Every structure is written in C-alpha cells, then in structure tokens.
C-alpha cells in the first residue's frame, strides 16, 4: 500500500469532501433513488427480503461517454456493463474477476485493442464482474460499476487500474482505500466516489457470480464473441474476428 491509499483526518479538503458525501447519505432514500448525473439518468434499485431487509443494490444506467475522440454508449443493466455502439456487428462478452491473475494478464494484453475497436464503433464489449476469489473481487467490481453509472468517461481507465494495482494475491484494498486511490486516478465525480466508498454494488457482484456458475461459467476469464466460446483470443485474433463480422 502507498501513502495515497490512506486519507488523513487533518486534510481540510478531504474533511470537506467527507461532509459533502455524508450530506448525500442523509438525503438518500432507503427504497431507492434516481438522480441526474452529467445529463443522464442513473437509477439505483434495491431488492427486498422478508421484513423489508435490503438485500442488494442493482446498478442501472445508460449514458454517452467520451472514449478518446469518440462518443460511445455505456449501458449498465442486468449482470453486465456494456460499452459500445448498439449496432456494433461484434459483441465480446468477458466474465472476469479483478482478483484473478489471468484476468489481469488478459486485460494488459487485450485492453488497448478493445478500447480502440469500441471507439471505432465495430466492437461492443460486455463485462460480467464476478467475485470468485477474494474480498477485493467484490469491492473492485463494485467500484467499476460505480464509475460506469456515475462517471462513464473514465470507465476504461478505472477498469485497467483496478487490475493493475493488485500486483499479487496479498494486495487487498478496502472500499475506502479504493475510493482514495481512484480519486488520484481520475475519478472526480462526488457520486462515484461516494458509491465506491460504500462498496454499494458488492452484493450485485456476488449475485453475478452465482448467475455465472448457474450458466456453467466456473473460471475466469471466460470470453465469448457473439455468443460463442472463443477462448482467450489475442489482439490480432480479435481484430480478425471483428473484420470478418463487419464484412
């Protein structure tokens, strides 16, 4: 851990931000809320068990985000975060866990190409975030969902960062530590930071893992192109598949 992972109580700016976030908590409605963020609607929905107990918050949002010089659609619904044009001829679905070393390697290998193809309009990518491995799986998956719903312009940056900062199996970050770290990595939206610090969507990530197991997905990363299992295609293979589908 580095010093930037810990917020000091003596920092006036940090204290002011905490007060603003507490104000957001005070006006939140337990049954769910809908807020306007950067010109788009974000819904936060809760499932209820017996006696009105809140079980999980489910992220839902659709927004236009600036990825490089391109404007793309970011949609959060069901068990996925989808980034890319609705009419893209190729859809790449990835089931991944931020605590998974192989997923980290795969993101390093293919992430820049995915972003380039998404920005070009020929590829849409769907991320299914799971908690197969550790507590970090859930808090990092929640953080990614928070950014996708509240500040989608930096989603790809945060997605790569959440893998990069966990260099070995001993690296674990709490939700509050991730909030501090991601604030230095480009997350500036108060709602996004509030959401990250609460690990608001941790239970959603756990539910995704259960749904994945029910669908026969037991390892990460699992990759499908237009619904077909393709294994861990590399950047060149992905370009070829996208070109074939576009032709």
């Amino acid at each position: 851990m580095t010093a930037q992972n810990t917020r000091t109580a003596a920092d006036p700016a940090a204290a002011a931000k905490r007060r603003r976030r507490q104000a957001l908590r005070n006006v939140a409605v337990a049954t769910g809320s809908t807020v306007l963020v950067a010109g788009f609607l974000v819904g936060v929905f809760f499932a209820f068990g017996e006696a009105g107990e809140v079980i999980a918050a489910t992220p839902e949002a659709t927004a236009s985000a600036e990825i490089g010089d391109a404007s793309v659609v970011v949609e959060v619904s069901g068990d996925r975060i989808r980034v890319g044009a609705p009419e893209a001829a190729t859809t790449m679905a990835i089931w991944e866990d931020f605590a998974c070393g192989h997923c980290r390697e795969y993101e390093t290998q293919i992430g820049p190409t995915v972003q380039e193809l998404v920005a070009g309009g020929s590829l849409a990518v769907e991320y299914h975030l799971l908690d197969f491995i550790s507590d970090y799986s859930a808090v990092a998956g929640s953080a990614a969902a928070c950014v996708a719903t509240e500040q989608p312009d930096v989603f790809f940056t945060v997605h790569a960062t959440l893998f990069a900062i966990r260099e070995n199996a001993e690296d674990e970050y709490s939700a509050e530590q991730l909030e501090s770290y991601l604030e230095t990595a480009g997350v500036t939206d108060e709602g996004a930071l509030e959401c990250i610090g609460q690990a608001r969507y941790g239970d959603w990530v756990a539910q995704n893992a259960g749904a994945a197991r029910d669908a026969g997905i037991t390892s990460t990363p699992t990759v499908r192109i237009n619904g077909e299992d393709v294994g861990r295609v590399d950047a060149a293979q992905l370009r070829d598949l996208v070109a074939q589908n576009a032709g």
Side-chain angles (χ1 to χ4, degrees):
M1 301 287 179
T2 64
Q4 62 188 173
N5 294 111
T6 303
R7 191 189 305 277
T8 60
D11 183 349
K17 288 181 180 180
R18 284 197 298 274
R19 288 195 295 272
R20 288 195 296 272
R21 288 170 202 155
Q22 185 59 50
L24 288 174
R25 290 189 184 98
N26 291 341
V27 299
V29 180
T31 56
S33 61
T34 302
V35 295
L36 185 66
V37 179
F40 58 90
L41 286 176
V42 175
V44 180
F45 301 93
F46 298 88
F48 289 85
E50 294 182 3
E53 177 188 2
V54 177
I55 298 173
T58 301
E60 290 196 12
T62 301
S64 178
E66 299 301 316
I67 306 296
D69 296 328
S71 179
V72 302
V73 175
V74 178
E75 178 190 1
V76 188
S77 64
D79 65 345
R80 68 179 187 174
I81 298 171
R82 186 183 192 278
V83 187
E87 66 274 13
T90 303
T91 298
M92 180 183 196
I94 307 176
W95 283 261
E96 62 185 14
D97 185 319
F98 283 112
C100 161
H102 292 302
C103 299
R104 181 175 184 269
E105 293 168 2
Y106 194 58
E107 165 63 21
T108 301
Q109 175 191 42
I110 206 169
T113 300
V114 168
Q115 184 170 340
E116 175 191 335
L117 293 171
V118 167
S122 57
L123 176 71
V125 59
E126 296 178 351
Y127 295 103
H128 300 261
L129 309 178
L130 314 177
D131 72 341
F132 281 177
I133 298 174
S134 75
D135 290 343
Y136 181 74
S137 310
V139 295
S142 174
C146 290
V147 171
T149 56
E150 305 282 353
Q151 194 182 347
D153 288 348
V154 297
F155 173 77
F156 275 129
T157 298
V158 168
H159 181 263
T161 298
L162 289 169
F163 278 118
I165 63 175
R166 193 175 189 274
E167 297 181 357
N168 58 66
E170 286 71 41
D171 289 339
E172 293 289 335
Y173 291 76
S174 69
E176 290 183 350
Q177 287 171 329
L178 274 186
E179 178 188 359
S180 295
Y181 191 95
L182 293 177
E183 190 171 9
T184 70
V187 180
T188 57
D189 182 87
E190 286 289 330
L193 292 168
E194 169 85 3
C195 179
I196 293 166
Q198 292 177 341
R200 183 178 297 162
Y201 300 125
D203 288 341
W204 173 74
V205 177
Q207 290 177 351
N208 292 348
R213 291 188 183 94
D214 291 344
I217 294 170
T218 57
S219 64
T220 55
T222 291
V223 182
R224 291 177 180 170
I225 300 289
N226 289 350
E228 295 186 8
D229 288 311
V230 294
R232 299 175 197 172
V233 293
D234 62 25
Q237 291 169 327
L238 178 60
R239 289 185 188 277
D240 288 343
L241 287 169
V242 169
Q244 292 170 16
N245 292 333

